Every structure is written in C-alpha cells, then in structure tokens.
Amino acid sequence: MKIYNKYIVASALLLVLTGCRAPMATVIKDEVKENLPQNFNQEEQQDANANSGTTPWRQFFTDPNLVSLIEISLKNNQELLITLQEIEIAKSGVLAKKGKLTPTVSAGIGAGLKKAGRYTSEGAGDATTEIEPGREMPDPLGNFEGGLMANWEIDIWKKLRTEKEAAVAHYLSTVEGKNFVLSNLIEEVADNYYELLALDNQLDIIQQYIKLQQRALEISKIQKEAAAATELAVKKFEAELAKSKAAEYTVRQNITEKENQINALLGRYPQPIVRTKESFMSTMPQTVYTGIPSQLLANRPDIKQAELELKAAKLDVQAARKEFYPSLEISATLGLEAFKPSYLVKLPESIAYNLAGELAGPLINKSAIKANFQTADAKQIQSLYEYDKTILHAYLDVANLMSKVKNIDQYYQMKSQETKALDQSIDIANQLFRNSRADYLEVLLNQRDALDAKMELIEAKQKQLSTVVDIYKSLGGGWK
C-alpha cells in the first residue's frame, strides 16, 4: 500500500512538472550597437581623451547670469520635480518586490459562536464529550482565538529575485531619466537665454535704424523745399520710418514672450531676466571636443535609460517564463484558541498551531500565463528597438551638429563681411543723396539691406552659441 502511494505521488509530481513546460524568449541580434562607427566623421580621427560631454555644466557655461538662471531652474522646474517623484515611485516598486522574498507575518484576534445540529457527527460528538468529569461541552459552542499567521513563497526558481532585479533596473532607468531631463532643461535655458540676448541686440539695431530714417526724412524734407527732391521721396521715407517703428514693437513683444518662456522654465511668475546684452556679439563660442561614438553609450543619460529599460524588460521575460513552473508556499499559524476566554490562559491546552506546505503548478487553462509571457516578450523586443533608435539618433545628432558648427562659423564670417560693406555703402549713399547725386531709392535700398544683414548677423551669432550648447547636450553633457 505504501509503495502504491509513492507511485501516485511521483506520478502527480511528474504530471505537474510536465505540464509546467515553459516557452523560450525571443532572441534578436543588436546590430545597431554592434555596428556603431568608430568616429563621427569617417574622414577625421577623433581623440577619445577629449570629450566635452564629460565637462560639468558650471565649467562649460561662463556667463554668471546664465549660470544663475540654470541654478534656479534646477530647483524649481516642474517637469524636473515630476521626474523626481517618478524616481520615488520606482523606489517603492523595488521595496515591494523585495518584500515578497521574506515571509508575510500578521497578527489577529477573533471570536465566534457555532451551533451544530444534534443529529450530525459533530453535534453528536459534542453532546457525548465532557470537558471535565460531569461537565458537558457548551451548546452553542463559542470560539475565541488570537495569534500569529505567516505565509512564505519559497523562491525555488529565483522568480521573485528576478522580479526584484527588474524593479531595480527600472528604478535606475528613472534616475537616468532624471539626468536626461536635467540635460534638456539646461539646454533649453541656455538656448532661450541666447535668443533673448539676440532679441535685445536686434532691438538696438532697429532703434539705430529708426534714428537713421528720421535723419533721412529730415534731409528729404529740406531737399523738397529746395526743389532738389519730390514729395514722393518724403512719403517713401515716412513709410519706411513707420515700418521700422512697427518692427520695433514686434521685437519688444518677442522679448516679453521670451522672458516669460525662461521664467516658465525657472518655475516662477513673470519677472525681468537679469542679463548683459553689450558683450553678446563679442562672445566667442566654446570649443567642443566630441570624443568617439562609443563614449555616447556611457555619457548620454537617454541611452543609459534605454539600456536599463531593456535590461528590466529582459528580466520581466525571465520572471514571466518562471510562472509556468510550480510554486512552493508554506503557511503557519501559532496562537491560543478556546471556547471560553478564561481558558485562553490555560497552557499548554489552549495552544494551537498549524504548519502546511503546498507545491502547485499550472496544468490546464494557462492562457493568462501565456498572455503575460507573450506581452513581456513583445515588450523586450520593443525595448531593444527603442534602445537601438536612441543610439542611432544620438549618433546622428552629434554628426549633424558637428557639421552645423563648421558651417555656421563660415556663415557668420560671411555675414560680418556683408555687414561691413553695407555700412560703408550707407555712408556713401547718404553723402551722395545730400549732394543730389543719388536717388532716394538707392538710400532706402542700402539702408534696408544693411538692416537685414545686421539682423541676420545677430541671428548667426545666436545660432553659433546655441549650436555649441546643443552639441554639448548631444554628447551627454549638462547633467553632471
């Protein structure tokens, strides 16, 4: 009989293990990371020891007003504060997974009353049982209890440890996500600050142009009285002056909006932005060293975030796969139990305990477990594609910005030459106009061309500075 029972137990255990066969996860080759180029520019060799992405932002930015704005944004920016709470949420997830590795212990008390039918096995047994000689069991029968209860899932397949590791990887990815928000925030503040300085300088140029137009208008009126010019010339200069004044109000509105945009990044209500506009055009962009592409994997927080999310997704697949295996749970209770409260203190008679172990695994109707595994497997593949996309975009960002830095420098040099030539042409045209040797249209066209060139020169300076900030952020700088 005992041998027969052993066969039954062995057969049942074999059936459980056979029914718990787990599918395999999908394996995809990471070709984007493996084929990452050795250099950003295949025609030039980069120095791996020179990488501006590792420079702390306080050393990279030298304008004290800009540094002050960045420091305020790091304290008050709402998006950054929201990200910090995401880190706390992920940290709680780690604690929750860690808690599953230890037994769950709870304490409780209870009371109840039960009346069994007289003509039942329980009722008949109670009726013929004496607690003490001459003292029958109470009817109805009370029940008072109190004690400790424990449940513990033994992590025999390391499923719970895998879930904890996945939660840790997700937590670390939220930390890198915070670093990426930091990097983006610093870039935004710096770009908007340089745009604001450019608008200040454009406003100065327009105001200078307005004074120039006013003088030209006065000259045209004098020449009209001397019959050296017509009313048409006067009206043309008046129209040009009105157009310039309208442009001044447009720039003033842009300045207000740009200031408020910076204030929004700083998490505060509108107030003046402290800045020094006089040195804007003489500001020299920082020299940026790119290092080599493989350093992006360690420097850029968005790449590290995607890598950690990929690791978490792979661990989730492992945990979902282990759901097909049987689980071993142990439950235990220890306490006092009696039908009358006064009997609870009678030891050891009132002591009650229970200890049980259960090994169980899914056999049929495993659709929910299969669906969870397939979902985790699909998310793993999705995370890999996301990781590859992040690496590819990071490389292209740096490559494009390296080219932009060179081209914008050349563009700025050409605009500087154009501005100087047009400034000289304005003086010549005004002198000829005073001597009635040039038409008013020549004066207007020269002044308009000079204004446009100066405005474009200021924009080129702003793009010079902003492009350097952008490539600094693309190299992984700004969060240290």
Side-chain angles (χ1 to χ4, degrees):
M1 186 67 181
K2 290 182 179 180
I3 296 176
Y4 178 73
N5 290 336
K6 288 181 180 179
Y7 280 130
I8 294 177
V9 172
S11 300
L13 183 59
L14 180 63
L15 183 62
V16 169
L17 294 176
T18 303
C20 298
R21 187 179 302 165
M24 299 300 294
T26 305
V27 178
I28 299 180
K29 189 177 181 181
D30 190 358
E31 296 183 356
V32 173
K33 182 179 178 180
E34 292 179 359
N35 297 328
L36 186 66
Q38 297 296 318
N39 294 285
F40 291 107
N41 189 338
Q42 301 304 319
E43 299 176 357
E44 300 178 7
Q45 294 292 323
Q46 278 87 39
D47 185 2
N49 297 320
N51 192 320
S52 297
T54 59
T55 304
W57 68 265
R58 283 185 175 84
Q59 296 178 18
F60 188 82
F61 298 105
T62 57
D63 187 331
N65 294 322
L66 175 56
V67 170
S68 176
L69 293 174
I70 292 175
E71 288 176 343
I72 296 172
S73 71
L74 296 182
K75 295 177 182 177
N76 301 333
N77 182 263
Q78 281 82 13
E79 184 177 355
L80 179 58
L81 295 176
I82 292 171
T83 305
L84 292 176
Q85 295 309 307
E86 291 178 358
I87 293 177
E88 294 301 317
I89 294 172
K91 189 185 296 184
S92 299
V94 174
L95 293 176
K97 297 298 182 183
K98 183 179 179 181
K100 289 186 175 181
L101 290 169
T102 57
T104 300
V105 180
S106 58
I109 59 174
L113 188 66
K114 183 178 181 181
K115 172 69 171 70
R118 177 65 179 81
Y119 300 110
T120 63
S121 59
E122 183 180 356
D126 290 345
T128 58
T129 301
E130 294 183 345
I131 303 172
E132 298 174 354
R135 188 172 182 183
E136 298 180 350
M137 291 284 290
D139 188 25
L141 184 66
N143 185 59
F144 300 89
E145 60 183 354
L148 301 176
M149 294 152 282
N151 290 282
W152 188 17
E153 181 179 351
I154 307 299
D155 196 19
I156 53 178
W157 310 111
K158 295 186 178 180
K159 180 190 72 172
L160 300 179
R161 289 183 179 85
T162 303
E163 291 178 350
K164 177 194 168 186
E165 291 175 7
V168 170
H170 177 65
Y171 162 72
L172 294 175
S173 76
T174 60
V175 174
E176 295 299 337
K178 181 263 296 182
N179 292 336
F180 188 57
V181 171
L182 278 176
S183 185
N184 283 334
L185 177 60
I186 291 173
E187 179 197 31
E188 281 192 80
V189 172
D191 283 346
N192 281 281
Y193 178 76
Y194 290 137
E195 288 177 16
L196 181 58
L197 291 179
L199 289 171
D200 288 338
N201 281 265
Q202 287 180 339
L203 180 61
D204 289 343
I205 293 297
I206 290 177
Q207 290 174 340
Q208 294 173 15
Y209 185 66
I210 288 174
K211 292 179 181 179
L212 189 65
Q213 287 298 314
Q214 289 173 338
R215 286 197 298 269
L217 177 60
E218 293 172 358
I219 293 172
S220 66
K221 288 180 179 180
I222 293 172
Q223 288 186 334
K224 177 194 170 188
E225 292 176 358
T230 63
E231 179 69 15
L232 179 60
V234 175
K235 294 301 180 184
K236 283 288 186 180
F237 280 114
E238 286 180 349
E240 190 69 15
L241 179 60
K243 179 181 177 181
S244 300
K245 289 183 177 180
E248 178 185 5
Y249 290 114
T250 300
V251 175
R252 288 186 182 276
Q253 177 61 27
N254 291 338
I255 289 174
T256 299
E257 293 178 1
K258 188 58 64 177
E259 282 187 316
N260 289 339
Q261 191 172 349
I262 294 175
N263 282 314
L265 292 173
L266 271 55
R268 66 188 189 185
Y269 287 105
Q271 57 183 277
I273 301 298
V274 179
R275 59 196 185 270
T276 304
K277 63 182 180 181
E278 288 76 17
S279 60
F280 175 71
M281 294 303 294
S282 60
T283 302
M284 296 301 296
Q286 289 268 25
T287 302
V288 179
Y289 303 97
T290 60
I292 56 177
S294 60
Q295 292 174 328
L296 292 175
L297 304 179
N299 292 341
R300 279 191 56 139
D302 57 333
I303 293 180
K304 291 195 286 185
Q305 181 185 18
E307 183 181 13
L308 287 165
E309 285 295 344
L310 175 59
K311 179 181 178 181
K314 289 181 177 179
L315 290 169
D316 285 337
V317 173
Q318 294 180 23
R321 187 170 183 269
K322 291 171 183 177
E323 289 289 347
F324 290 91
Y325 301 156
S327 59
L328 175 61
E329 293 188 4
I330 296 176
S331 60
T333 58
L334 174 63
L336 303 175
E337 186 176 18
F339 62 81
K340 190 175 181 181
S342 60
Y343 287 170
L344 290 173
V345 296
K346 290 188 176 183
L347 302 177
E349 290 83 357
S350 61
I351 294 177
Y353 60 85
N354 177 52
L355 179 64
E358 181 181 20
L359 180 67
L363 287 178
I364 58 175
N365 194 18
K366 297 184 288 187
S367 58
I369 300 177
K370 290 180 180 177
N372 288 337
F373 174 80
Q374 292 170 356
T375 299
D377 192 38
K379 286 183 177 179
Q380 173 200 210
I381 300 172
Q382 186 182 51
S383 297
L384 176 61
Y385 292 149
E386 186 69 30
Y387 179 54
D388 288 345
K389 183 184 76 172
T390 306
I391 293 176
L392 181 60
H393 286 184
Y395 178 88
L396 294 175
D397 282 346
V398 176
N400 289 337
L401 289 169
M402 285 175 62
S403 175
K404 187 176 181 180
V405 166
K406 295 179 181 179
N407 290 327
I408 199 67
D409 286 344
Q410 295 297 320
Y411 177 81
Y412 181 79
Q413 297 300 325
M414 295 299 102
K415 280 297 174 182
S416 296
Q417 295 180 17
E418 180 186 2
T419 301
K420 291 177 181 178
L422 288 172
D423 281 341
Q424 294 173 358
S425 69
I426 286 178
D427 293 336
I428 296 172
N430 285 336
Q431 187 175 359
L432 292 174
F433 181 67
R434 292 190 195 98
N435 297 326
S436 300
R437 295 177 60 189
D439 187 73
Y440 67 89
L441 288 176
E442 293 180 87
V443 177
L444 283 175
L445 290 175
N446 273 279
Q447 290 177 346
R448 285 181 184 177
D449 291 343
L451 175 64
D452 291 342
K454 288 181 179 179
M455 300 289 274
E456 290 171 357
L457 181 65
I458 293 171
E459 290 180 359
K461 172 58 69 174
Q462 178 263 315
K463 288 179 181 178
Q464 253 192 338
L465 298 173
S466 293
T467 302
V468 169
V469 174
D470 294 343
I471 196 171
Y472 172 64
K473 176 252 179 181
S474 296
L475 290 170
W479 60 271
K480 295 183 180 179

PDB file of all heavy atoms in Angstrom, residues 409-421:
ATOM      1  N   ASP A 409      29.889  78.814 -38.506  1.00  0.00           N
ATOM      2  CA  ASP A 409      31.055  79.689 -38.335  1.00  0.00           C
ATOM      3  C   ASP A 409      31.394  80.395 -39.644  1.00  0.00           C
ATOM      4  O   ASP A 409      31.666  81.609 -39.660  1.00  0.00           O
ATOM      5  CB  ASP A 409      32.262  78.880 -37.848  1.00  0.00           C
ATOM      6  CG  ASP A 409      32.138  78.488 -36.389  1.00  0.00           C
ATOM      7  OD1 ASP A 409      31.307  79.082 -35.682  1.00  0.00           O
ATOM      8  OD2 ASP A 409      32.869  77.573 -35.949  1.00  0.00           O
ATOM      9  N   GLN A 410      31.369  79.638 -40.739  1.00  0.00           N
ATOM     10  CA  GLN A 410      31.632  80.245 -42.043  1.00  0.00           C
ATOM     11  C   GLN A 410      30.529  81.241 -42.424  1.00  0.00           C
ATOM     12  O   GLN A 410      30.807  82.318 -42.981  1.00  0.00           O
ATOM     13  CB  GLN A 410      31.740  79.152 -43.119  1.00  0.00           C
ATOM     14  CG  GLN A 410      32.931  78.219 -42.937  1.00  0.00           C
ATOM     15  CD  GLN A 410      34.257  78.956 -43.046  1.00  0.00           C
ATOM     16  OE1 GLN A 410      34.416  79.848 -43.890  1.00  0.00           O
ATOM     17  NE2 GLN A 410      35.207  78.596 -42.196  1.00  0.00           N
ATOM     18  N   TYR A 411      29.297  80.882 -42.117  1.00  0.00           N
ATOM     19  CA  TYR A 411      28.168  81.772 -42.388  1.00  0.00           C
ATOM     20  C   TYR A 411      28.326  83.086 -41.626  1.00  0.00           C
ATOM     21  O   TYR A 411      28.092  84.175 -42.177  1.00  0.00           O
ATOM     22  CB  TYR A 411      26.867  81.064 -41.983  1.00  0.00           C
ATOM     23  CG  TYR A 411      25.617  81.893 -42.134  1.00  0.00           C
ATOM     24  CD1 TYR A 411      24.991  82.026 -43.369  1.00  0.00           C
ATOM     25  CD2 TYR A 411      25.049  82.542 -41.038  1.00  0.00           C
ATOM     26  CE1 TYR A 411      23.834  82.787 -43.516  1.00  0.00           C
ATOM     27  CE2 TYR A 411      23.897  83.297 -41.165  1.00  0.00           C
ATOM     28  CZ  TYR A 411      23.292  83.417 -42.407  1.00  0.00           C
ATOM     29  OH  TYR A 411      22.152  84.175 -42.534  1.00  0.00           O
ATOM     30  N   TYR A 412      28.754  82.996 -40.364  1.00  0.00           N
ATOM     31  CA  TYR A 412      28.938  84.200 -39.541  1.00  0.00           C
ATOM     32  C   TYR A 412      30.033  85.091 -40.119  1.00  0.00           C
ATOM     33  O   TYR A 412      29.896  86.320 -40.154  1.00  0.00           O
ATOM     34  CB  TYR A 412      29.272  83.797 -38.112  1.00  0.00           C
ATOM     35  CG  TYR A 412      29.445  84.973 -37.176  1.00  0.00           C
ATOM     36  CD1 TYR A 412      28.338  85.621 -36.653  1.00  0.00           C
ATOM     37  CD2 TYR A 412      30.718  85.437 -36.843  1.00  0.00           C
ATOM     38  CE1 TYR A 412      28.484  86.708 -35.799  1.00  0.00           C
ATOM     39  CE2 TYR A 412      30.877  86.525 -35.995  1.00  0.00           C
ATOM     40  CZ  TYR A 412      29.757  87.155 -35.476  1.00  0.00           C
ATOM     41  OH  TYR A 412      29.912  88.235 -34.639  1.00  0.00           O
ATOM     42  N   GLN A 413      31.106  84.495 -40.600  1.00  0.00           N
ATOM     43  CA  GLN A 413      32.191  85.281 -41.187  1.00  0.00           C
ATOM     44  C   GLN A 413      31.714  86.020 -42.435  1.00  0.00           C
ATOM     45  O   GLN A 413      32.032  87.211 -42.632  1.00  0.00           O
ATOM     46  CB  GLN A 413      33.373  84.363 -41.531  1.00  0.00           C
ATOM     47  CG  GLN A 413      34.016  83.671 -40.341  1.00  0.00           C
ATOM     48  CD  GLN A 413      34.572  84.661 -39.333  1.00  0.00           C
ATOM     49  OE1 GLN A 413      35.072  85.743 -39.699  1.00  0.00           O
ATOM     50  NE2 GLN A 413      34.500  84.307 -38.056  1.00  0.00           N
ATOM     51  N   MET A 414      30.959  85.350 -43.282  1.00  0.00           N
ATOM     52  CA  MET A 414      30.455  85.989 -44.491  1.00  0.00           C
ATOM     53  C   MET A 414      29.471  87.105 -44.168  1.00  0.00           C
ATOM     54  O   MET A 414      29.482  88.170 -44.799  1.00  0.00           O
ATOM     55  CB  MET A 414      29.777  84.950 -45.399  1.00  0.00           C
ATOM     56  CG  MET A 414      30.720  83.885 -45.953  1.00  0.00           C
ATOM     57  SD  MET A 414      32.047  84.562 -46.980  1.00  0.00           S
ATOM     58  CE  MET A 414      33.434  84.501 -45.824  1.00  0.00           C
ATOM     59  N   LYS A 415      28.617  86.909 -43.179  1.00  0.00           N
ATOM     60  CA  LYS A 415      27.663  87.937 -42.791  1.00  0.00           C
ATOM     61  C   LYS A 415      28.371  89.151 -42.195  1.00  0.00           C
ATOM     62  O   LYS A 415      27.936  90.295 -42.355  1.00  0.00           O
ATOM     63  CB  LYS A 415      26.644  87.369 -41.795  1.00  0.00           C
ATOM     64  CG  LYS A 415      25.526  86.575 -42.435  1.00  0.00           C
ATOM     65  CD  LYS A 415      24.694  87.455 -43.355  1.00  0.00           C
ATOM     66  CE  LYS A 415      23.658  86.667 -44.126  1.00  0.00           C
ATOM     67  NZ  LYS A 415      22.892  87.536 -45.057  1.00  0.00           N
ATOM     68  N   SER A 416      29.465  88.898 -41.484  1.00  0.00           N
ATOM     69  CA  SER A 416      30.248  90.009 -40.924  1.00  0.00           C
ATOM     70  C   SER A 416      30.813  90.864 -42.056  1.00  0.00           C
ATOM     71  O   SER A 416      30.773  92.112 -41.994  1.00  0.00           O
ATOM     72  CB  SER A 416      31.385  89.467 -40.052  1.00  0.00           C
ATOM     73  OG  SER A 416      30.881  88.777 -38.937  1.00  0.00           O
ATOM     74  N   GLN A 417      31.347  90.210 -43.095  1.00  0.00           N
ATOM     75  CA  GLN A 417      31.873  90.957 -44.232  1.00  0.00           C
ATOM     76  C   GLN A 417      30.763  91.725 -44.944  1.00  0.00           C
ATOM     77  O   GLN A 417      30.950  92.878 -45.346  1.00  0.00           O
ATOM     78  CB  GLN A 417      32.560  89.992 -45.204  1.00  0.00           C
ATOM     79  CG  GLN A 417      33.803  89.315 -44.638  1.00  0.00           C
ATOM     80  CD  GLN A 417      34.440  88.372 -45.623  1.00  0.00           C
ATOM     81  OE1 GLN A 417      34.174  88.430 -46.846  1.00  0.00           O
ATOM     82  NE2 GLN A 417      35.289  87.472 -45.137  1.00  0.00           N
ATOM     83  N   GLU A 418      29.605  91.098 -45.114  1.00  0.00           N
ATOM     84  CA  GLU A 418      28.478  91.760 -45.768  1.00  0.00           C
ATOM     85  C   GLU A 418      28.041  92.993 -44.986  1.00  0.00           C
ATOM     86  O   GLU A 418      27.780  94.054 -45.564  1.00  0.00           O
ATOM     87  CB  GLU A 418      27.308  90.782 -45.904  1.00  0.00           C
ATOM     88  CG  GLU A 418      26.084  91.397 -46.568  1.00  0.00           C
ATOM     89  CD  GLU A 418      24.885  90.468 -46.557  1.00  0.00           C
ATOM     90  OE1 GLU A 418      25.003  89.354 -46.004  1.00  0.00           O
ATOM     91  OE2 GLU A 418      23.826  90.856 -47.091  1.00  0.00           O
ATOM     92  N   THR A 419      27.983  92.871 -43.669  1.00  0.00           N
ATOM     93  CA  THR A 419      27.546  93.992 -42.825  1.00  0.00           C
ATOM     94  C   THR A 419      28.500  95.173 -42.937  1.00  0.00           C
ATOM     95  O   THR A 419      28.063  96.336 -43.049  1.00  0.00           O
ATOM     96  CB  THR A 419      27.447  93.534 -41.367  1.00  0.00           C
ATOM     97  OG1 THR A 419      26.522  92.456 -41.277  1.00  0.00           O
ATOM     98  CG2 THR A 419      26.962  94.668 -40.476  1.00  0.00           C
ATOM     99  N   LYS A 420      29.796  94.897 -42.911  1.00  0.00           N
ATOM    100  CA  LYS A 420      30.781  95.971 -43.021  1.00  0.00           C
ATOM    101  C   LYS A 420      30.662  96.689 -44.361  1.00  0.00           C
ATOM    102  O   LYS A 420      30.718  97.927 -44.441  1.00  0.00           O
ATOM    103  CB  LYS A 420      32.185  95.409 -42.848  1.00  0.00           C
ATOM    104  CG  LYS A 420      32.490  94.931 -41.440  1.00  0.00           C
ATOM    105  CD  LYS A 420      33.882  94.322 -41.345  1.00  0.00           C
ATOM    106  CE  LYS A 420      34.167  93.817 -39.940  1.00  0.00           C
ATOM    107  NZ  LYS A 420      35.519  93.165 -39.846  1.00  0.00           N
ATOM    108  N   ALA A 421      30.508  95.911 -45.427  1.00  0.00           N
ATOM    109  CA  ALA A 421      30.394  96.521 -46.757  1.00  0.00           C
ATOM    110  C   ALA A 421      29.133  97.381 -46.875  1.00  0.00           C
ATOM    111  O   ALA A 421      29.163  98.483 -47.435  1.00  0.00           O
ATOM    112  CB  ALA A 421      30.398  95.427 -47.825  1.00  0.00           C
TER     113      ALA A 421
END
